[in-house]
Amino acid sequence: MAHATSIQYEPVAEIGGGAYGTVFKARDIQSGQFVALKSVRVQTDQNGLPISTVREVAVLKRLEQFDHPNVVRLMDVCAIQRSDQETKVTLVFEHVDQDLKTYLERTPAPGLSPERIKDLMRQLLCGLAFLHSNRVMHRDLKPENILVTSQGQVKLADFGLARIYSCHMALTPVVVTLWYRPPEVLLQSSYATPVDIWSTGCIFAEMFRRKPLFCGESEVDQLGKIFEVIGLPPEEEWPTDVTLTRKNFPPNMPRPIADFVPEISEQGAQLLLKMLTFDPLKRISALNALEHSYFQDGETLSQTKAKVMQ
Amino acid sequence: MTLEDELTSAAAQGHTAEVSRLLQAGAQVNGVNRFGRSAVQVMMMGSTPVAEVLLRHGADPNVADRRTGATPLHDAARAGFLDTVRLLVNYKADPRAKDKANCQPIDLARKSGLTDVVAYLECVLSGNSGL
């Protein structure tokens, strides 16, 4: 790990954080380019950094070696000891000056073309398939951390940070959006990589609608809004390790997804439903989603696979 | 946190409505944050709506980064956001401005292989800025 971040990277604005540290937009003085500095304060003892932090950083550095086109570059990692008990770990990421939220907002009516949506979705799923095949889940996928370059290249950001931050999360209450959270997270059940597919489904719908699909104001409200669309799941699919019971929700029947996403093609709607599947074990994976017939026109399967392997 | 800190943060995150709200609340459009930068210097370059709000409120598009000498036009050209490049030029950003490495915005676009931005800036530099 290198030292002296402040010399090579000069912060120019605060762009987020709070819960775990702070995120800055900064300038790399040598290249002149903008970067994102993500810092986290880590408690240390006489053995130095906790092994969990070292392991998570090692995972990110290993991912970086693949140079995948659909994830942001990790350019540098710096550790600065602040005191005997605290070290500041700063991750330096490539900064892309546009996110999917902005991209959707500034697209004039009637919105993105079906081909453009398909291309964005293919890139998003390629990035996810890459992360998942390396056993990294994102956990907080949303339009704000899906970056889109001026040339239309999708790059996922903020992946793999959740566990580095997790021990610090409880310290500061921050408002985090619930809109892209899957039922298993809202129910506080166990979860894994399918969480990201749920979020991807919500974002897929949003690309057509240009507004979010499920805008809940609390965990229960969010679940209620989800069940209004996909229907209340059967009792046998309800997780057993949760406190919130199925009886808390009205017995909604599933409604046609095209009522909520009017412009979507039939195959798109099929794929969307496989992503918005209540049971995480039955939800489609990123790799299988890329093989779905929705993606089969235009580009051949082998080309899609070649992109994933990159 | 000053209003200008909030304004620059909102601009950097592409939050157009928040930028408008802060300007109405009295944030100085050319005021600097605690890092000595104004909103137009740090704005999300791909967010043309944010750029538009700031420039309409009188943001100075020719302010140069105190460290590298880059103007907002340098940064928008390097990243390839043609709509923002065009908007900055319409609001009198100097296409001939040079950063401390002696580069003009068009040089940075060329280095990044952004042919559409290069073509546009070539027209502007040759005097056909009515595009």
Side-chain angles (χ1 to χ4, degrees):
Chain A
M1 290 190 188
H3 291 268
T5 355
S6 50
I7 296 169
Q8 197 185 344
Y9 307 106
E10 188 168 286
V12 297
E14 192 175 320
I15 51 172
Y20 36 75
T22 323
V23 186
F24 295 105
K25 179 173 183 174
R27 200 185 282 280
D28 180 339
I29 300 305
Q30 277 170 7
S31 71
Q33 284 173 341
F34 287 123
V35 295
L37 300 182
K38 305 196 175 185
S39 299
V40 57
R41 292 176 297 273
V42 181
Q43 304 299 316
T44 46
D45 56 19
Q46 66 273 25
N47 299 320
L49 288 171
I51 190 74
S52 60
T53 305
V54 174
R55 196 177 288 139
E56 295 308 322
V57 169
V59 168
L60 290 177
K61 288 196 129 180
R62 184 166 51 83
L63 287 183
E64 180 55 29
Q65 292 172 350
F66 291 93
D67 204 24
H68 195 277
N70 301 120
V71 300
V72 290
R73 299 277 69 82
L74 172 63
M75 301 161 76
D76 210 349
V77 182
C78 312
I80 298 171
Q81 195 170 352
R82 305 299 287 279
S83 69
D84 286 349
Q85 293 89 38
E86 197 180 85
T87 295
K88 188 172 89 166
V89 177
T90 302
L91 303 164
V92 184
F93 288 99
E94 165 189 20
H95 182 77
V96 176
D97 243 342
Q98 179 172 253
D99 59 27
L100 184 62
K101 186 166 180 273
T102 302
Y103 186 79
L104 291 178
E105 275 169 5
R106 76 185 191 101
T107 302
L112 301 175
S113 70
E115 294 74 31
R116 192 75 200 95
I117 291 176
K118 193 174 289 188
D119 176 46
L120 291 167
M121 279 300 293
R122 188 186 279 119
Q123 294 188 62
L124 201 172
L125 284 164
C126 278
L128 265 192
F130 166 71
L131 292 180
H132 290 176
S133 67
N134 284 282
R135 285 177 295 171
V136 171
M137 63 173 152
H138 191 297
R139 273 206 337 192
D140 190 30
L141 205 58
K142 55 190 173 188
E144 288 92 328
N145 54 35
I146 298 169
L147 309 180
V148 186
T149 71
S150 63
Q151 307 305 295
Q153 189 175 349
V154 172
K155 288 173 176 255
L156 304 183
D158 295 343
F159 54 86
L161 301 176
R163 272 185 290 178
I164 298 179
Y165 291 154
S166 59
C167 47
H168 305 269
M169 282 296 213
L171 297 176
T172 332
V174 285
V175 185
V176 286
T177 183
L178 301 168
W179 300 347
Y180 306 94
R181 287 218 185 145
E184 65 270 26
V185 172
L186 294 164
L187 286 166
Q188 299 182 316
S189 180
S190 58
Y191 58 88
T193 52
V195 295
D196 294 332
I197 299 299
W198 180 276
S199 309
T200 302
C202 296
I203 293 160
F204 187 21
E206 189 166 335
M207 287 182 191
F208 290 95
R209 292 162 50 88
R210 292 195 296 157
K211 57 181 190 236
L213 181 60
F214 306 123
C215 303
E217 281 158 16
S218 66
E219 274 87 351
V220 177
D221 184 42
Q222 182 71 23
L223 283 162
K225 294 214 155 71
I226 289 169
F227 298 149
E228 279 170 26
V229 176
I230 70 167
L232 186 65
E235 185 68 55
E236 61 268 24
E237 284 189 10
W238 200 267
T240 49
D241 56 347
V242 301
T243 47
L244 199 61
T245 64
R246 189 171 167 275
K247 293 189 195 73
N248 286 290
F249 299 94
N252 290 317
M253 294 299 288
R255 291 179 51 189
I257 198 71
D259 289 0
F260 303 92
V261 194
E263 308 294 322
I264 199 165
S265 68
E266 205 176 307
Q267 292 188 322
Q270 274 176 17
L271 175 59
L272 178 56
L273 281 178
K274 289 182 182 207
M275 294 179 157
L276 298 180
T277 295
F278 177 80
D279 185 345
L281 297 173
K282 294 180 184 162
R283 206 173 292 153
I284 196 166
S285 69
L287 261 182
N288 286 338
L290 283 166
E291 293 180 4
H292 190 272
S293 55
Y294 170 69
F295 290 114
Q296 295 319 305
D297 52 342
E299 198 172 14
T300 66
L301 186 58
S302 57
Q303 280 171 323
T304 307
K305 272 189 173 159
K307 273 191 189 171
V308 175
M309 303 312 271
Q310 267 176 20
Chain B
M1 193 131 145
T2 64
L3 275 179
E4 285 72 30
D5 279 324
E6 290 184 51
L7 180 69
T8 51
S9 288
Q13 292 171 84
H15 296 163
T16 315
E18 180 69 358
V19 166
S20 298
R21 190 191 67 77
L22 287 162
L23 288 169
Q24 257 152 38
Q28 296 299 306
V29 73
N30 289 310
V32 296
N33 62 11
R34 62 195 158 105
F35 305 110
R37 267 77 176 192
S38 67
V40 75
Q41 289 185 283
V42 304
M43 67 185 179
M44 184 182 265
M45 288 297 162
S47 177
T48 313
V50 163
E52 176 124 46
V53 171
L54 291 172
L55 292 164
R56 215 173 48 226
H57 279 80
D60 176 7
N62 288 309
V63 56
D65 188 274
R66 62 185 189 188
R67 195 66 183 262
T68 65
T71 64
L73 189 58
H74 282 95
D75 290 321
R78 173 180 22 232
F81 292 106
L82 181 58
D83 291 348
T84 304
V85 165
R86 212 178 254 144
L87 191 71
L88 284 163
V89 169
N90 289 344
Y91 276 88
K92 306 282 182 273
D94 180 8
R96 291 185 173 79
K98 286 185 175 172
D99 64 14
K100 288 185 181 168
N102 214 25
C103 288
Q104 291 184 347
I106 193 171
D107 301 325
L108 302 182
R110 203 172 272 133
K111 219 180 279 176
S112 306
L114 302 161
T115 48
D116 53 347
V117 174
V118 171
Y120 170 73
L121 287 173
E122 269 171 356
C123 283
V124 172
L125 289 168
S126 67
N128 303 321
S129 56
L131 285 172

